[in-house]
Amino acid sequence: NPAAPLLQLRDARIAYGQIQAVKGIDLELFSGELVSLIGANGAGKTTTLNAIAGTLQLSGGDLSYAGSAIAGMPAHKRLRAGIALVPEGRGIFTRLTVEENLRMGAYTRSDKAEIEADLQRVYEMLPRVKERLPQVAGTLSGGEQQMVAIGRALLSRPKLLLLDEPSMGLAPLIVEKIFEVIHTVMKQGVTVLLVEQNANLALGFSNRAYVMESGKITLSGSGQDLLHDPKVRSAYLGEA
Ligand code: ATP
């Protein structure tokens, strides 16, 4: 069913012990979309991404992916089913080389020829990364590490790519490059859910977006509509 969402959260709740971090949210992603999730620090954005990736469990509500309920599925199975997460802080293996990091992304796969072909595609998309394949990843700049983290995620052949604050701590010019890469990934048919503090950038760039506040989704709409929404402008774009 082409009209069915690729991913759907319904009344999703996520808790850390007694602390309710996400308090019943509804969120849908359709195939091929680039959707962003914006909101202040502590709103529950990272928590939501981790629950989709399976590194956190829902404490209530439903999660479906490609038509199946997956709330009880472990993270490695979700990865194999096409859900890849680029975590906050990138999560690269700093002592491994760039090439080893990229290859780690394919660890759930056994189709060797296809993995090599995907590596070549990632090299084409990320020429800076290709130049640094033998370099120890911990010695790369922050922007290069972010590229490696995205490249590694792509090596799992995701249908859904979850990106947690890819612009964090990076200079504007590098952020622009990272967003170009994300756009290319989306153009290649990967559905993207992007968590961003940089609301201006994220909204200008997304098909749709959700605004999260204190564990709830308070607004949603097209990127352009939210970009021009007075509530969003005053709360997240630094306007009075
Ligand atoms: P940030 O941009 O800071 O990551 P966020 O919107 O992603 O913000 P979350 O990291 O999802 O927010 O945090 C949501 C809430 O859950 C916050 O109140 C936070 O303090 C709490 N929280 C997050 N991680 C934990 C944890 N491991 N244990 C207890 N509470 C946590």
Side-chain angles (χ1 to χ4, degrees):
N1 182 354
L6 176 65
L7 183 110
Q8 187 166 41
L9 280 168
R10 277 213 186 128
D11 193 27
R13 279 157 278 147
I14 312 159
Y16 298 98
Q18 299 300 308
I19 302 164
Q20 295 288 328
V22 173
K23 302 166 184 165
I25 62 167
D26 295 311
L27 182 151
E28 293 177 335
L29 301 174
F30 293 89
S31 256
E33 282 191 305
L34 197 167
V35 174
S36 57
L37 186 55
I38 63 169
N41 259 328
K45 307 179 299 295
T46 295
T47 301
T48 300
L49 276 199
N50 286 329
I52 295 171
T55 51
L56 280 174
Q57 300 305 311
L58 296 185
S59 47
D62 299 306
L63 171 60
S64 72
Y65 171 72
S68 305
I70 61 160
M73 187 187 279
H76 69 274
K77 288 203 176 147
R78 295 190 202 188
L79 180 62
R80 203 165 286 154
I83 302 178
L85 170 68
V86 177
E88 200 167 3
R90 302 157 197 138
I92 65 163
F93 303 101
T94 53
R95 289 159 186 256
L96 299 186
T97 67
V98 168
E99 183 174 355
E100 286 165 342
N101 267 278
L102 292 174
R103 288 183 180 278
M104 289 292 265
Y107 82 97
T108 60
R109 301 171 55 183
S110 49
D111 49 341
K112 288 210 168 99
E114 289 297 305
I115 292 170
E116 296 308 313
D118 285 351
L119 265 176
Q120 294 305 321
R121 274 190 279 274
V122 166
Y123 296 164
E124 269 167 46
M125 194 189 301
L126 306 171
R128 281 292 291 254
V129 166
K130 187 185 180 185
E131 284 166 21
R132 288 160 190 276
L133 293 178
Q135 190 169 330
V136 172
T139 63
L140 297 177
S141 72
E144 290 162 350
Q145 290 189 11
Q146 185 65 55
M147 300 272 190
V148 171
I150 293 171
R152 184 182 59 186
L154 293 177
L155 260 298
S156 70
R157 278 219 177 164
K159 292 188 181 73
L160 172 60
L161 183 62
L162 308 168
L163 295 165
D164 200 350
E165 306 237 11
S167 74
M168 172 97 80
L170 303 180
L173 217 62
I174 311 296
V175 171
E176 212 171 283
K177 288 221 173 97
I178 300 279
F179 273 67
E180 275 170 26
V181 169
I182 297 169
H183 198 251
T184 304
V185 169
M186 184 269 277
K187 286 279 182 200
Q188 293 177 350
V190 178
T191 306
V192 179
L193 180 60
L194 173 69
V195 161
E196 258 300 332
Q197 292 259 332
N198 188 335
N200 212 1
L201 184 67
L203 292 176
F205 187 77
S206 302
N207 302 121
R208 291 191 304 115
Y210 292 89
V211 178
M212 250 185 127
E213 282 172 51
S214 309
K216 294 189 173 156
I217 285 170
T218 51
L219 274 176
S220 66
S222 75
Q224 286 305 318
D225 285 352
L226 291 180
L227 199 52
H228 298 110
D229 185 294
K231 286 191 292 276
V232 173
R233 299 201 69 83
S234 65
Y236 302 107
L237 303 175
E239 291 186 7

